[in-house]
Amino acid sequence: MLPHFRYHPDPLATEAFQELGEPVRCPCCGEETSVVYRGPFYTIDEVNGLCPDCIASGAAAEKFDGEFQDSESVDEVSDPAKLDELVHRTPGYCGWQQEYWRAHCDDFCAFLGAVGYKELLELGVLAEVLEDLEDWQREGIQELEKNGGAQGYLFRCLHCGRHLLQIDYD
């Protein structure tokens, strides 16, 4: 069972973690794990196959002096402890270019995954995310395609439930 990640509630579904057929050793704790991290980790060392527990505890970020999210590529929040949790104890996500983490109600949002126009319609959140976008982004919203050249990354506010979108192009 995975630890709970407040800002990334289902990292198996978003493919931040991968379940393996054969266990491997986590480079941080040395324990065997059959679930490994496949998302970004900004560190000098090349580190692969981190276990979920070493990310959740902050041990991986501390041991390898790394971050799972670029601390400059986030919306602003007032509490530095929230930024610390996001960059040091939350699995990141892979974007086309620079990943960017959304915030709302003075806290980081939960990352729900990659989406296109079709998924926004199916989830019933299109009108809601359009309210937050710039005019030029609204005009091109129908071009968004999950795993396409232009896709969205969907976030949900932990406090009010509002959905926010980050758009990225390959």
Side-chain angles (χ1 to χ4, degrees):
M1 185 162 148
L2 291 180
H4 174 71
F5 296 101
R6 185 162 68 137
Y7 300 129
H8 200 149
D10 196 353
L12 280 171
T14 64
E15 299 179 357
F17 287 110
Q18 177 184 11
E19 291 187 79
L20 305 174
E22 299 278 327
V24 296
R25 290 215 179 274
C26 172
C28 183
C29 66
E31 298 292 321
E32 285 194 343
T33 181
S34 59
V35 177
V36 297
Y37 181 61
R38 294 291 188 218
F41 187 40
Y42 304 100
T43 182
I44 293 173
D45 303 311
E46 186 169 327
V47 180
N48 295 305
L50 290 168
C51 75
D53 291 331
C54 285
I55 294 172
S57 70
E62 184 176 341
K63 180 174 183 171
F64 299 107
D65 191 25
E67 295 183 342
F68 297 98
Q69 171 64 36
D70 176 8
S71 60
E72 298 298 317
S73 297
V74 298
D75 283 343
E76 190 174 319
V77 299
S78 62
D79 185 352
K82 292 174 181 177
L83 180 62
D84 181 61
E85 179 179 351
L86 178 69
V87 301
H88 297 122
R89 295 185 304 282
T90 301
Y93 72 93
C94 292
W96 289 126
Q97 298 196 31
Q98 178 62 47
E99 297 82 11
Y100 189 89
W101 212 283
R102 301 299 313 268
H104 196 262
C105 294
D106 198 31
D107 198 358
F108 294 108
C109 295
F111 175 66
L112 303 180
V115 294
Y117 181 75
K118 177 181 142 201
E119 289 78 17
L120 293 171
L121 286 172
E122 289 170 357
L123 293 167
V125 298
L126 178 63
E128 186 177 359
V129 299
L130 284 172
E131 294 173 15
D132 183 59
L133 297 177
E134 302 286 332
D135 287 340
W136 67 272
Q137 293 171 315
R138 279 190 216 107
E139 291 170 10
I141 196 82
Q142 291 181 348
E143 297 171 19
L144 293 183
E145 185 177 337
K146 185 175 179 178
N147 300 317
Q151 75 176 348
Y153 301 98
L154 188 61
F155 294 85
R156 183 185 64 243
C157 179
L158 298 174
H159 303 281
C160 71
R162 182 184 179 111
H163 290 87
L164 300 169
L165 191 66
Q166 179 65 29
I167 297 176
D168 199 8
Y169 301 91
D170 67 359

Short mmCIF file of all heavy atoms in Angstrom, two decimals, residues 7 74-77 93 100-116 119-120 123-134 137-138 141 144 151-168:
data_model
loop_
_atom_site.label_atom_id
_atom_site.label_comp_id
_atom_site.label_asym_id
_atom_site.label_seq_id
_atom_site.Cartn_x
_atom_site.Cartn_y
_atom_site.Cartn_z
N TYR A 7 -0.75 16.11 -2.01
CA TYR A 7 -0.77 16.87 -3.25
C TYR A 7 -0.72 15.99 -4.51
O TYR A 7 -0.72 16.50 -5.61
CB TYR A 7 0.40 17.86 -3.28
CG TYR A 7 0.35 18.87 -2.16
CD1 TYR A 7 1.45 19.10 -1.35
CD2 TYR A 7 -0.79 19.62 -1.91
CE1 TYR A 7 1.42 20.03 -0.33
CE2 TYR A 7 -0.84 20.56 -0.88
CZ TYR A 7 0.29 20.76 -0.10
OH TYR A 7 0.25 21.69 0.91
N VAL A 74 6.01 26.94 -9.40
CA VAL A 74 4.80 26.68 -8.61
C VAL A 74 4.07 28.00 -8.41
O VAL A 74 4.67 29.07 -8.45
CB VAL A 74 5.14 26.08 -7.22
CG1 VAL A 74 5.84 24.74 -7.36
CG2 VAL A 74 5.98 27.02 -6.38
N ASP A 75 2.76 27.92 -8.19
CA ASP A 75 2.01 29.09 -7.76
C ASP A 75 2.48 29.42 -6.34
O ASP A 75 2.99 28.55 -5.62
CB ASP A 75 0.51 28.81 -7.76
CG ASP A 75 -0.11 28.83 -9.15
OD1 ASP A 75 0.51 29.36 -10.10
OD2 ASP A 75 -1.24 28.30 -9.28
N GLU A 76 2.28 30.64 -5.92
CA GLU A 76 2.76 31.08 -4.62
C GLU A 76 1.77 30.70 -3.50
O GLU A 76 0.56 30.80 -3.67
CB GLU A 76 2.94 32.60 -4.63
CG GLU A 76 3.66 33.13 -3.43
CD GLU A 76 3.95 34.61 -3.55
OE1 GLU A 76 4.34 35.05 -4.65
OE2 GLU A 76 3.79 35.31 -2.55
N VAL A 77 2.33 30.25 -2.38
CA VAL A 77 1.56 30.04 -1.14
C VAL A 77 2.33 30.72 -0.01
O VAL A 77 3.54 30.89 -0.10
CB VAL A 77 1.31 28.55 -0.83
CG1 VAL A 77 0.51 27.88 -1.94
CG2 VAL A 77 2.59 27.80 -0.56
N TYR A 93 5.19 15.11 -11.38
CA TYR A 93 4.59 14.58 -12.60
C TYR A 93 5.46 14.98 -13.78
O TYR A 93 6.21 15.94 -13.71
CB TYR A 93 3.14 15.06 -12.78
CG TYR A 93 2.98 16.52 -13.15
CD1 TYR A 93 2.89 16.92 -14.48
CD2 TYR A 93 2.89 17.51 -12.17
CE1 TYR A 93 2.73 18.25 -14.83
CE2 TYR A 93 2.74 18.85 -12.51
CZ TYR A 93 2.66 19.21 -13.83
OH TYR A 93 2.50 20.54 -14.17
N TYR A 100 4.62 22.53 -13.80
CA TYR A 100 4.23 23.68 -12.99
C TYR A 100 3.10 23.23 -12.08
O TYR A 100 2.14 22.60 -12.54
CB TYR A 100 3.76 24.83 -13.89
CG TYR A 100 3.55 26.11 -13.14
CD1 TYR A 100 4.61 27.01 -12.97
CD2 TYR A 100 2.33 26.43 -12.57
CE1 TYR A 100 4.43 28.20 -12.27
CE2 TYR A 100 2.14 27.60 -11.87
CZ TYR A 100 3.20 28.49 -11.71
OH TYR A 100 3.02 29.65 -11.01
N TRP A 101 3.21 23.51 -10.78
CA TRP A 101 2.21 23.06 -9.81
C TRP A 101 1.31 24.22 -9.42
O TRP A 101 1.77 25.27 -9.01
CB TRP A 101 2.89 22.51 -8.56
CG TRP A 101 2.08 21.42 -7.93
CD1 TRP A 101 0.97 21.56 -7.16
CD2 TRP A 101 2.32 20.02 -8.02
NE1 TRP A 101 0.49 20.33 -6.77
CE2 TRP A 101 1.32 19.37 -7.28
CE3 TRP A 101 3.30 19.24 -8.66
CZ2 TRP A 101 1.26 17.98 -7.15
CZ3 TRP A 101 3.23 17.87 -8.54
CH2 TRP A 101 2.22 17.25 -7.79
N ARG A 102 0.01 24.00 -9.55
CA ARG A 102 -1.00 25.02 -9.26
C ARG A 102 -1.34 25.07 -7.77
O ARG A 102 -1.22 24.08 -7.05
CB ARG A 102 -2.27 24.75 -10.06
CG ARG A 102 -2.09 24.72 -11.58
CD ARG A 102 -1.60 26.03 -12.17
NE ARG A 102 -2.31 27.20 -11.68
CZ ARG A 102 -3.38 27.73 -12.26
NH1 ARG A 102 -3.87 27.22 -13.38
NH2 ARG A 102 -3.97 28.79 -11.74
N ALA A 103 -1.78 26.24 -7.33
CA ALA A 103 -2.23 26.45 -5.96
C ALA A 103 -3.54 27.23 -5.98
O ALA A 103 -3.84 27.95 -6.95
CB ALA A 103 -1.18 27.22 -5.15
N HIS A 104 -4.30 27.07 -4.92
CA HIS A 104 -5.57 27.78 -4.76
C HIS A 104 -5.89 27.79 -3.27
O HIS A 104 -5.50 26.87 -2.56
CB HIS A 104 -6.68 27.08 -5.56
CG HIS A 104 -7.89 27.92 -5.78
ND1 HIS A 104 -9.01 27.81 -4.99
CD2 HIS A 104 -8.15 28.89 -6.69
CE1 HIS A 104 -9.92 28.66 -5.42
NE2 HIS A 104 -9.43 29.33 -6.45
N CYS A 105 -6.57 28.79 -2.80
CA CYS A 105 -6.90 28.92 -1.38
C CYS A 105 -5.64 28.85 -0.51
O CYS A 105 -5.64 28.26 0.58
CB CYS A 105 -7.92 27.86 -0.93
SG CYS A 105 -9.56 28.03 -1.68
N ASP A 106 -4.57 29.46 -0.99
CA ASP A 106 -3.28 29.55 -0.30
C ASP A 106 -2.70 28.19 0.07
O ASP A 106 -2.07 28.01 1.11
CB ASP A 106 -3.38 30.44 0.95
CG ASP A 106 -2.02 30.90 1.43
OD1 ASP A 106 -1.10 31.07 0.59
OD2 ASP A 106 -1.85 31.06 2.66
N ASP A 107 -2.92 27.20 -0.80
CA ASP A 107 -2.33 25.87 -0.62
C ASP A 107 -2.16 25.25 -2.00
O ASP A 107 -2.87 25.61 -2.94
CB ASP A 107 -3.25 24.99 0.24
CG ASP A 107 -2.56 23.78 0.83
OD1 ASP A 107 -1.35 23.56 0.56
OD2 ASP A 107 -3.23 23.03 1.57
N PHE A 108 -1.23 24.34 -2.10
CA PHE A 108 -1.06 23.65 -3.37
C PHE A 108 -2.23 22.73 -3.62
O PHE A 108 -2.84 22.21 -2.68
CB PHE A 108 0.27 22.88 -3.39
CG PHE A 108 1.45 23.81 -3.36
CD1 PHE A 108 2.22 23.92 -2.23
CD2 PHE A 108 1.75 24.60 -4.46
CE1 PHE A 108 3.29 24.80 -2.18
CE2 PHE A 108 2.80 25.49 -4.43
CZ PHE A 108 3.57 25.60 -3.28
N CYS A 109 -2.54 22.54 -4.87
CA CYS A 109 -3.66 21.69 -5.27
C CYS A 109 -3.21 20.24 -5.41
O CYS A 109 -2.02 19.96 -5.54
CB CYS A 109 -4.22 22.17 -6.61
SG CYS A 109 -4.96 23.81 -6.56
N ALA A 110 -4.17 19.35 -5.44
CA ALA A 110 -3.92 17.94 -5.70
C ALA A 110 -3.80 17.75 -7.21
O ALA A 110 -4.67 18.21 -7.97
CB ALA A 110 -5.06 17.08 -5.16
N PHE A 111 -2.74 17.08 -7.62
CA PHE A 111 -2.56 16.78 -9.04
C PHE A 111 -3.41 15.56 -9.39
O PHE A 111 -3.29 14.50 -8.76
CB PHE A 111 -1.08 16.49 -9.34
CG PHE A 111 -0.84 16.07 -10.76
CD1 PHE A 111 -1.05 16.94 -11.81
CD2 PHE A 111 -0.40 14.79 -11.05
CE1 PHE A 111 -0.83 16.55 -13.12
CE2 PHE A 111 -0.17 14.39 -12.35
CZ PHE A 111 -0.39 15.27 -13.39
N LEU A 112 -4.27 15.69 -10.41
CA LEU A 112 -5.17 14.60 -10.80
C LEU A 112 -4.71 13.86 -12.05
O LEU A 112 -5.12 12.73 -12.27
CB LEU A 112 -6.58 15.14 -11.01
CG LEU A 112 -7.21 15.86 -9.81
CD1 LEU A 112 -8.61 16.33 -10.16
CD2 LEU A 112 -7.21 14.97 -8.58
N GLY A 113 -3.88 14.50 -12.89
CA GLY A 113 -3.37 13.81 -14.06
C GLY A 113 -3.47 14.62 -15.33
O GLY A 113 -3.98 15.73 -15.36
N ALA A 114 -2.97 14.01 -16.39
CA ALA A 114 -2.99 14.63 -17.72
C ALA A 114 -4.39 14.49 -18.32
O ALA A 114 -5.04 13.45 -18.16
CB ALA A 114 -1.96 13.96 -18.63
N VAL A 115 -4.82 15.54 -19.01
CA VAL A 115 -6.14 15.55 -19.63
C VAL A 115 -6.09 16.28 -20.97
O VAL A 115 -5.22 17.10 -21.20
CB VAL A 115 -7.21 16.24 -18.74
CG1 VAL A 115 -7.46 15.46 -17.46
CG2 VAL A 115 -6.82 17.68 -18.43
N GLY A 116 -7.06 15.96 -21.79
CA GLY A 116 -7.31 16.69 -23.02
C GLY A 116 -8.71 17.30 -22.95
O GLY A 116 -9.41 17.18 -21.93
N GLU A 119 -11.43 14.74 -22.02
CA GLU A 119 -11.49 14.37 -20.59
C GLU A 119 -12.11 15.49 -19.76
O GLU A 119 -12.85 15.22 -18.80
CB GLU A 119 -10.09 14.02 -20.06
CG GLU A 119 -9.54 12.71 -20.58
CD GLU A 119 -8.97 12.79 -22.00
OE1 GLU A 119 -8.71 13.92 -22.49
OE2 GLU A 119 -8.80 11.74 -22.62
N LEU A 120 -11.82 16.74 -20.12
CA LEU A 120 -12.42 17.86 -19.39
C LEU A 120 -13.93 17.85 -19.54
O LEU A 120 -14.67 18.11 -18.59
CB LEU A 120 -11.84 19.18 -19.89
CG LEU A 120 -10.37 19.43 -19.59
CD1 LEU A 120 -9.86 20.66 -20.32
CD2 LEU A 120 -10.14 19.55 -18.09
N LEU A 123 -15.36 14.81 -17.48
CA LEU A 123 -15.33 15.08 -16.04
C LEU A 123 -16.27 16.20 -15.62
O LEU A 123 -16.50 16.42 -14.44
CB LEU A 123 -13.90 15.42 -15.60
CG LEU A 123 -12.88 14.30 -15.70
CD1 LEU A 123 -11.47 14.85 -15.54
CD2 LEU A 123 -13.18 13.23 -14.65
N GLY A 124 -16.80 16.93 -16.61
CA GLY A 124 -17.72 18.02 -16.33
C GLY A 124 -17.05 19.25 -15.71
O GLY A 124 -17.70 20.00 -14.97
N VAL A 125 -15.77 19.46 -16.01
CA VAL A 125 -15.04 20.57 -15.41
C VAL A 125 -14.58 21.62 -16.43
O VAL A 125 -13.87 22.55 -16.08
CB VAL A 125 -13.82 20.07 -14.58
CG1 VAL A 125 -14.29 19.20 -13.43
CG2 VAL A 125 -12.81 19.36 -15.45
N LEU A 126 -14.99 21.48 -17.68
CA LEU A 126 -14.52 22.39 -18.72
C LEU A 126 -14.85 23.85 -18.39
O LEU A 126 -13.97 24.71 -18.42
CB LEU A 126 -15.10 22.01 -20.09
CG LEU A 126 -14.70 22.93 -21.23
CD1 LEU A 126 -13.19 22.90 -21.45
CD2 LEU A 126 -15.43 22.55 -22.51
N ALA A 127 -16.09 24.15 -18.08
CA ALA A 127 -16.49 25.53 -17.79
C ALA A 127 -15.70 26.08 -16.61
O ALA A 127 -15.28 27.24 -16.61
CB ALA A 127 -17.98 25.61 -17.53
N GLU A 128 -15.49 25.24 -15.62
CA GLU A 128 -14.76 25.67 -14.42
C GLU A 128 -13.30 26.03 -14.73
O GLU A 128 -12.81 27.07 -14.29
CB GLU A 128 -14.82 24.53 -13.39
CG GLU A 128 -14.25 24.87 -12.05
CD GLU A 128 -14.40 23.72 -11.07
OE1 GLU A 128 -14.97 22.66 -11.42
OE2 GLU A 128 -13.92 23.89 -9.95
N VAL A 129 -12.60 25.20 -15.50
CA VAL A 129 -11.19 25.49 -15.79
C VAL A 129 -11.06 26.66 -16.76
O VAL A 129 -10.06 27.38 -16.71
CB VAL A 129 -10.41 24.25 -16.29
CG1 VAL A 129 -10.40 23.16 -15.24
CG2 VAL A 129 -10.89 23.75 -17.62
N LEU A 130 -12.05 26.85 -17.62
CA LEU A 130 -12.00 27.98 -18.56
C LEU A 130 -11.96 29.32 -17.84
O LEU A 130 -11.32 30.27 -18.31
CB LEU A 130 -13.19 27.94 -19.53
CG LEU A 130 -13.11 26.91 -20.65
CD1 LEU A 130 -14.43 26.86 -21.41
CD2 LEU A 130 -11.95 27.19 -21.58
N GLU A 131 -12.61 29.41 -16.69
CA GLU A 131 -12.66 30.66 -15.92
C GLU A 131 -11.27 31.14 -15.51
O GLU A 131 -11.05 32.34 -15.37
CB GLU A 131 -13.51 30.48 -14.66
CG GLU A 131 -14.97 30.24 -14.93
CD GLU A 131 -15.72 29.89 -13.65
OE1 GLU A 131 -15.18 30.12 -12.54
OE2 GLU A 131 -16.86 29.40 -13.77
N ASP A 132 -10.35 30.22 -15.33
CA ASP A 132 -9.02 30.54 -14.82
C ASP A 132 -7.99 30.78 -15.93
O ASP A 132 -6.89 31.24 -15.66
CB ASP A 132 -8.55 29.38 -13.92
CG ASP A 132 -7.22 29.64 -13.27
OD1 ASP A 132 -7.10 30.65 -12.54
OD2 ASP A 132 -6.28 28.86 -13.51
N LEU A 133 -8.35 30.49 -17.18
CA LEU A 133 -7.37 30.56 -18.27
C LEU A 133 -7.31 31.93 -18.92
O LEU A 133 -8.27 32.70 -18.89
CB LEU A 133 -7.72 29.50 -19.33
CG LEU A 133 -7.67 28.04 -18.90
CD1 LEU A 133 -8.11 27.14 -20.04
CD2 LEU A 133 -6.29 27.66 -18.40
N GLU A 134 -6.16 32.19 -19.53
CA GLU A 134 -5.99 33.41 -20.32
C GLU A 134 -6.82 33.27 -21.61
O GLU A 134 -7.13 32.16 -22.04
CB GLU A 134 -4.52 33.58 -20.70
CG GLU A 134 -3.58 33.65 -19.51
CD GLU A 134 -3.66 34.97 -18.76
OE1 GLU A 134 -3.98 35.99 -19.39
OE2 GLU A 134 -3.41 34.95 -17.55
N GLN A 137 -5.47 30.91 -24.18
CA GLN A 137 -5.59 29.50 -23.81
C GLN A 137 -7.02 29.01 -24.02
O GLN A 137 -7.23 27.87 -24.44
CB GLN A 137 -5.18 29.30 -22.35
CG GLN A 137 -3.71 29.55 -22.10
CD GLN A 137 -3.38 29.55 -20.62
OE1 GLN A 137 -4.08 30.15 -19.81
NE2 GLN A 137 -2.31 28.86 -20.28
N ARG A 138 -7.99 29.84 -23.72
CA ARG A 138 -9.40 29.47 -23.94
C ARG A 138 -9.67 29.19 -25.41
O ARG A 138 -10.38 28.26 -25.74
CB ARG A 138 -10.33 30.60 -23.47
CG ARG A 138 -10.57 30.60 -22.00
CD ARG A 138 -11.68 31.59 -21.63
NE ARG A 138 -11.33 32.19 -20.37
CZ ARG A 138 -10.90 33.43 -20.21
NH1 ARG A 138 -10.80 34.25 -21.21
NH2 ARG A 138 -10.58 33.87 -19.01
N ILE A 141 -8.44 25.66 -26.40
CA ILE A 141 -8.75 24.56 -25.48
C ILE A 141 -9.19 23.28 -26.21
O ILE A 141 -8.91 22.18 -25.78
CB ILE A 141 -9.80 24.99 -24.43
CG1 ILE A 141 -9.85 24.02 -23.26
CG2 ILE A 141 -11.17 25.14 -25.05
CD1 ILE A 141 -8.81 24.22 -22.24
N LEU A 144 -6.51 20.59 -27.03
CA LEU A 144 -5.87 19.76 -26.01
C LEU A 144 -6.22 18.29 -26.21
O LEU A 144 -7.39 17.94 -26.41
CB LEU A 144 -6.31 20.17 -24.61
CG LEU A 144 -5.87 21.53 -24.11
CD1 LEU A 144 -6.34 21.73 -22.67
CD2 LEU A 144 -4.38 21.71 -24.21
N GLN A 151 -1.41 19.34 -24.19
CA GLN A 151 -2.26 18.67 -23.21
C GLN A 151 -2.35 19.49 -21.94
O GLN A 151 -1.55 20.39 -21.71
CB GLN A 151 -1.79 17.25 -22.92
CG GLN A 151 -0.58 17.08 -22.06
CD GLN A 151 -0.31 15.60 -21.77
OE1 GLN A 151 -1.11 14.71 -22.02
NE2 GLN A 151 0.86 15.34 -21.23
N GLY A 152 -3.33 19.15 -21.14
CA GLY A 152 -3.53 19.83 -19.87
C GLY A 152 -3.16 18.92 -18.71
O GLY A 152 -3.13 17.71 -18.84
N TYR A 153 -2.86 19.57 -17.60
CA TYR A 153 -2.60 18.87 -16.34
C TYR A 153 -3.62 19.40 -15.35
O TYR A 153 -3.66 20.60 -15.07
CB TYR A 153 -1.16 19.10 -15.88
CG TYR A 153 -0.18 18.62 -16.92
CD1 TYR A 153 0.40 19.51 -17.82
CD2 TYR A 153 0.12 17.27 -17.04
CE1 TYR A 153 1.26 19.07 -18.80
CE2 TYR A 153 0.99 16.82 -18.02
CZ TYR A 153 1.56 17.73 -18.90
OH TYR A 153 2.41 17.27 -19.88
N LEU A 154 -4.46 18.51 -14.85
CA LEU A 154 -5.60 18.91 -14.04
C LEU A 154 -5.26 18.85 -12.55
O LEU A 154 -4.67 17.88 -12.07
CB LEU A 154 -6.79 17.99 -14.34
CG LEU A 154 -8.13 18.37 -13.73
CD1 LEU A 154 -8.60 19.75 -14.23
CD2 LEU A 154 -9.18 17.30 -14.04
N PHE A 155 -5.64 19.90 -11.85
CA PHE A 155 -5.45 20.02 -10.41
C PHE A 155 -6.79 20.32 -9.75
O PHE A 155 -7.68 20.90 -10.37
CB PHE A 155 -4.48 21.17 -10.10
CG PHE A 155 -3.08 20.95 -10.58
CD1 PHE A 155 -2.72 21.25 -11.89
CD2 PHE A 155 -2.12 20.43 -9.72
CE1 PHE A 155 -1.42 21.04 -12.33
CE2 PHE A 155 -0.82 20.23 -10.16
CZ PHE A 155 -0.46 20.53 -11.46
N ARG A 156 -6.91 19.94 -8.47
CA ARG A 156 -8.13 20.23 -7.70
C ARG A 156 -7.72 20.86 -6.37
O ARG A 156 -6.86 20.33 -5.66
CB ARG A 156 -8.95 18.97 -7.45
CG ARG A 156 -10.27 19.23 -6.71
CD ARG A 156 -11.03 17.95 -6.37
NE ARG A 156 -10.26 17.15 -5.45
CZ ARG A 156 -9.78 15.91 -5.73
NH1 ARG A 156 -10.02 15.35 -6.88
NH2 ARG A 156 -9.08 15.26 -4.84
N CYS A 157 -8.36 21.97 -6.02
CA CYS A 157 -8.09 22.63 -4.75
C CYS A 157 -8.50 21.71 -3.60
O CYS A 157 -9.60 21.15 -3.61
CB CYS A 157 -8.84 23.96 -4.67
SG CYS A 157 -8.59 24.83 -3.10
N LEU A 158 -7.63 21.59 -2.62
CA LEU A 158 -7.90 20.74 -1.46
C LEU A 158 -8.94 21.34 -0.53
O LEU A 158 -9.50 20.64 0.31
CB LEU A 158 -6.61 20.50 -0.67
CG LEU A 158 -5.49 19.79 -1.39
CD1 LEU A 158 -4.23 19.75 -0.54
CD2 LEU A 158 -5.91 18.38 -1.76
N HIS A 159 -9.20 22.64 -0.66
CA HIS A 159 -10.08 23.31 0.28
C HIS A 159 -11.47 23.59 -0.29
O HIS A 159 -12.47 23.28 0.36
CB HIS A 159 -9.41 24.60 0.77
CG HIS A 159 -8.08 24.33 1.38
ND1 HIS A 159 -7.92 23.86 2.66
CD2 HIS A 159 -6.83 24.41 0.85
CE1 HIS A 159 -6.63 23.67 2.91
NE2 HIS A 159 -5.95 24.00 1.83
N CYS A 160 -11.54 24.14 -1.49
CA CYS A 160 -12.85 24.48 -2.06
C CYS A 160 -13.27 23.53 -3.19
O CYS A 160 -14.40 23.59 -3.65
CB CYS A 160 -12.87 25.93 -2.55
SG CYS A 160 -11.89 26.23 -4.04
N GLY A 161 -12.35 22.68 -3.65
CA GLY A 161 -12.68 21.71 -4.69
C GLY A 161 -12.60 22.24 -6.12
O GLY A 161 -12.87 21.49 -7.06
N ARG A 162 -12.24 23.49 -6.29
CA ARG A 162 -12.15 24.07 -7.63
C ARG A 162 -11.08 23.35 -8.45
O ARG A 162 -10.03 22.99 -7.95
CB ARG A 162 -11.82 25.55 -7.54
CG ARG A 162 -11.76 26.21 -8.89
CD ARG A 162 -11.34 27.66 -8.77
NE ARG A 162 -11.27 28.23 -10.08
CZ ARG A 162 -12.08 29.14 -10.56
NH1 ARG A 162 -13.05 29.62 -9.79
NH2 ARG A 162 -11.96 29.59 -11.77
N HIS A 163 -11.37 23.18 -9.74
CA HIS A 163 -10.42 22.55 -10.67
C HIS A 163 -9.65 23.63 -11.42
O HIS A 163 -10.24 24.61 -11.88
CB HIS A 163 -11.15 21.64 -11.66
CG HIS A 163 -11.68 20.42 -11.00
ND1 HIS A 163 -12.92 20.37 -10.41
CD2 HIS A 163 -11.12 19.19 -10.85
CE1 HIS A 163 -13.11 19.16 -9.91
NE2 HIS A 163 -12.04 18.43 -10.16
N LEU A 164 -8.34 23.41 -11.54
CA LEU A 164 -7.46 24.32 -12.27
C LEU A 164 -6.69 23.52 -13.28
O LEU A 164 -6.43 22.32 -13.09
CB LEU A 164 -6.49 25.01 -11.32
CG LEU A 164 -7.11 25.85 -10.21
CD1 LEU A 164 -6.06 26.26 -9.19
CD2 LEU A 164 -7.79 27.07 -10.78
N LEU A 165 -6.28 24.17 -14.35
CA LEU A 165 -5.60 23.50 -15.44
C LEU A 165 -4.26 24.18 -15.70
O LEU A 165 -4.17 25.41 -15.67
CB LEU A 165 -6.47 23.56 -16.69
CG LEU A 165 -6.06 22.70 -17.88
CD1 LEU A 165 -6.20 21.22 -17.53
CD2 LEU A 165 -6.93 23.03 -19.09
N GLN A 166 -3.26 23.39 -15.95
CA GLN A 166 -1.97 23.87 -16.46
C GLN A 166 -1.83 23.30 -17.86
O GLN A 166 -1.99 22.09 -18.04
CB GLN A 166 -0.82 23.40 -15.55
CG GLN A 166 0.54 23.82 -15.99
CD GLN A 166 0.72 25.33 -15.95
OE1 GLN A 166 0.12 26.02 -15.17
NE2 GLN A 166 1.55 25.83 -16.85
N ILE A 167 -1.55 24.13 -18.83
CA ILE A 167 -1.45 23.68 -20.22
C ILE A 167 0.02 23.65 -20.63
O ILE A 167 0.78 24.55 -20.27
CB ILE A 167 -2.26 24.59 -21.15
CG1 ILE A 167 -3.75 24.50 -20.79
CG2 ILE A 167 -2.04 24.21 -22.61
CD1 ILE A 167 -4.64 25.43 -21.58
N ASP A 168 0.38 22.63 -21.37
CA ASP A 168 1.77 22.46 -21.79
C ASP A 168 1.79 21.97 -23.24
O ASP A 168 0.88 21.27 -23.69
CB ASP A 168 2.45 21.42 -20.89
CG ASP A 168 3.95 21.48 -20.91
OD1 ASP A 168 4.52 22.42 -21.51
OD2 ASP A 168 4.58 20.60 -20.31
#
